[in-house]
Amino acid sequence: MAKDFDTLEDSNRSGNPSIHDVSDPRRRVVLQGGLAAAIAGAFGPLLASCAGMVGRSGPLVGFKGIRVGTGDALVVPEGYVAEALAAWGEPVGIAGAMPAWQPDASNTADEQALQMGMHHDGIHFYPLEGSSTRGLLVMNHEYVDDGLLHPDGLKTWTPEKVRKSQAAHGVAVIEIALTGGRWQMVRPSRYARRFTANTPFAIGGPAAGHALMKTAADPSGRTVLGTFNNCASGMTPWGTYLSGEENFAFYFAAGDKPDAHQQRWGLRKSASFRWPEHDERFDAVKHPNEPNRFGWVVEIDPMDPTSVPVKRTALGRAAHEGAWIATTKDGRAVAYSGEDARFEYIYKFVSRDRIAPGGAKANRELLDHGTLYVARFDADGSGRWLPLVHGQGPLTTAGGFADQGEVVIKARQASDALGGTKMDRPEWLAIDQKAGEVYCTLTNNSSRGQPNQPAVDAVNPRANNAMGGVIRWKEDGDFDGTTFRWSHLVLAGDPANERAEAKGNVKGDIFACPDGLVLDTRGVLWIQTDAHATQMYKGELKNIGNNQMLACDRTTGEVRRFLTGPTNCEVTGATLTPDGTTMFINIQHPGEAPGDRSDPANPGRFSRWPDMAPGGRPRSATVVIRRRDGGVIGS
Ligand code: FEO
Ligand code: CA
Ligand code: CA
């Protein structure tokens, strides 16, 4: 989500020190050379550390890189083919309930709830019985463009339109198979499901039943209707799907006087999505606890179509991009997550218990018990995980936290009190389980170093950070370690830019605003970009073209462009079949309008991808990528 709505991403007014504020002369010395040191160090010492990480002979990345994208088309390298699948509005395949998509957007709210949602995002392939030709795709539908979703857009605003908008959000589970040389949806399928903004979710962990989670409609504080603004995806070793509820604040109206808690979570007078006008639940003046029930990581078992999804509150509340699992040597789960908002934090959760054999059913409560930490990145390249544990340090009743439930519900305030490092919008994370390393995209932060805003620091070294980058860290000891060493993998940018902070240090093909990040089983780090329509094709991004996907060989540091998307789209999510011969990615919001809402009188103004029908609507869709020779993607 590269949204124009992002004024909320600046709600951290805490006084916790940016590294520059620390009056330690040694740190100041390091910081004076901060940017130069970051650039020089980005590949040097780390190359040695990761050489040999991927056991192989010959080049890791074997395709011929492509040029920057300029037109309304999706482009892949020579020898590859790409095809759209499961676009917005396709019926997911629930038996007896498969309403066809209407190109004039005249499907009802009830029909939309049985179809693919809008704005495809995180995605994961779940093979059926280990197959590389049949499986499930589980994916997020992050948000909607109400200009495209309804025949006349926002000309009128009705309860039916609110219900349709809610039905186009959430998560979809579909079954697909490779038949006759093409991947197609299997319909009907016993696995097909939609989770929308009105699907019941259970609450697990310390916030379950908490006073701050209780509402008039749910006096137990244990059942929430819906999930929305689901951004990135992660798969657990026990076979479930994790989805992050990201910019939930955009959906609530907090009136003229949001309280301090609401302000810290970016709630504003009115909602960007106009749900409160016809659904009182989203009126945070009348229902002040309803926003506390969003901003969680949700867990879904796609293999059991009767399973109840759960919000895992022990992982902390945040504008969660997503969550990704590493495993300690003794078999415990470590969930890494970040919060994509300006000057917010990176977290990890270490489970109390070990992952049990037996899949999802044997690990129903694994993510409900454990320890949550926030990251502090120090200027000397070390870092520390600070525990968000009630009763420790400032997180006491006297400090404003009644119990662990309040600590996780107010994870931002708790992290402010502990002194977590304010980051440049952490998006996806990727874990190298063997090497004990974690990677994280920091997409951009134009407010960094601006007047009255946090200064640059060692890990966020560029003022007016329009370009973003990828950081990496290695835990000291195992993944449950409380200290680590960090560095920059790459600072995105274009060497043709005049401003030093916008040049970057990319070795290979240039890019900006990294967001999606997926490490495949061969060791290729796939980087996807999400520059907003208002930033693209001009200024410091003028040479960078359409949003794209690149392959990074971490042993050489080279980044090579693999795919460019259609006009004004975001490229997001990547998942491969077990044999590596098919990759699925998502194209989100092709033709995104500068104000995030298309003109229904001219819906194809910027893009008509993938249907390319005259006067037609652009549609978010999954893209199936294969090699003509059937080989492994990227090799
Ligand atoms: Fe939904 Fe942070 O992108
Ligand atoms: Ca983004
Ligand atoms: Ca994203």
Side-chain angles (χ1 to χ4, degrees), residues 237-238 331-333 351 353-364 366:
W238 53 97
R332 285 168 296 139
S351 73
D353 303 324
R354 294 178 187 186
I355 301 167
K361 286 181 177 53
N363 292 283
R364 270 195 188 127
L366 187 74

Side-chain angles (χ1 to χ4, degrees), residues 1-3 142 231 246 321 340 425 427 443-444 513-516 529-531 570:
M1 187 181 204
K3 299 186 60 61
E142 189 180 25
C231 194
E246 193 189 8
E321 182 76 9
D340 174 11
R425 300 185 52 196
E427 300 244 33
T443 196
N444 60 56
C513 307
D515 184 342
T529 72
D530 177 23
E570 165 184 345

Side-chain angles (χ1 to χ4, degrees), residues 344-583:
E344 299 298 348
Y345 303 110
I346 290 175
Y347 295 94
K348 84 170 176 184
F349 165 86
V350 180
S351 73
R352 181 191 67 190
D353 303 324
R354 294 178 187 186
I355 301 167
K361 286 181 177 53
N363 292 283
R364 270 195 188 127
E365 294 183 9
L366 187 74
L367 295 182
D368 288 343
H369 305 285
T371 306
L372 179 66
Y373 301 86
V374 63
R376 190 185 77 198
F377 293 82
D378 292 326
D380 62 359
S382 69
R384 185 167 290 275
W385 292 104
L386 311 170
L388 277 78
V389 174
H390 183 257
Q392 292 189 18
L395 307 183
T396 59
T397 306
F401 300 93
D403 48 31
Q404 185 64 17
E406 188 157 5
V407 168
V408 295
I409 291 165
K410 297 182 176 173
R412 281 187 178 175
Q413 293 96 318
S415 299
D416 296 344
L418 289 168
T421 298
K422 301 171 186 176
M423 306 299 289
D424 283 352
R425 300 185 52 196
E427 300 244 33
W428 288 58
L429 291 117
I431 294 161
D432 188 325
Q433 176 69 38
K434 264 193 207 156
E437 289 193 338
V438 185
Y439 297 78
C440 180
T441 49
L442 302 177
T443 196
N444 60 56
N445 185 350
S446 54
S447 298
R448 174 70 66 182
Q450 302 301 308
N452 305 315
Q453 297 284 353
V456 296
D457 59 36
V459 72
N460 302 284
R462 298 194 284 182
N464 179 13
N465 178 11
M467 295 297 181
V470 184
I471 57 166
R472 67 199 296 178
W473 64 89
K474 186 172 169 59
E475 305 285 4
D476 293 334
D478 205 348
F479 281 106
D480 63 345
T482 55
T483 57
F484 58 90
R485 301 290 304 176
W486 67 266
S487 63
H488 294 92
L489 176 71
V490 57
L491 299 173
D494 177 356
N497 282 325
E498 280 181 21
R499 200 168 60 96
E501 292 93 337
K503 288 178 183 291
N505 63 358
V506 180
K507 186 177 169 190
D509 294 331
I510 57 172
F511 65 98
C513 307
D515 184 342
L517 193 68
V518 172
L519 185 64
D520 74 18
T521 54
R522 295 193 311 119
V524 178
L525 188 66
W526 297 93
I527 300 171
Q528 300 169 313
T529 72
D530 177 23
H532 191 269
T534 52
Q535 304 166 301
M536 294 160 74
Y537 318 122
K538 63 188 180 196
E540 292 177 337
L541 273 68
K542 69 178 183 296
N543 298 325
I544 287 177
N546 296 355
N547 279 315
Q548 56 186 302
M549 178 162 74
L550 312 100
C552 174
D553 179 339
R554 296 168 297 154
T555 60
T556 63
E558 190 205 341
V559 175
R560 195 179 301 178
R561 189 176 298 110
F562 177 78
L563 175 149
T564 57
T567 307
N568 287 10
C569 80
E570 165 184 345
V571 181
T572 182
T575 181
L576 290 124
T577 50
D579 66 4
T581 62
T582 301
M583 174 184 267

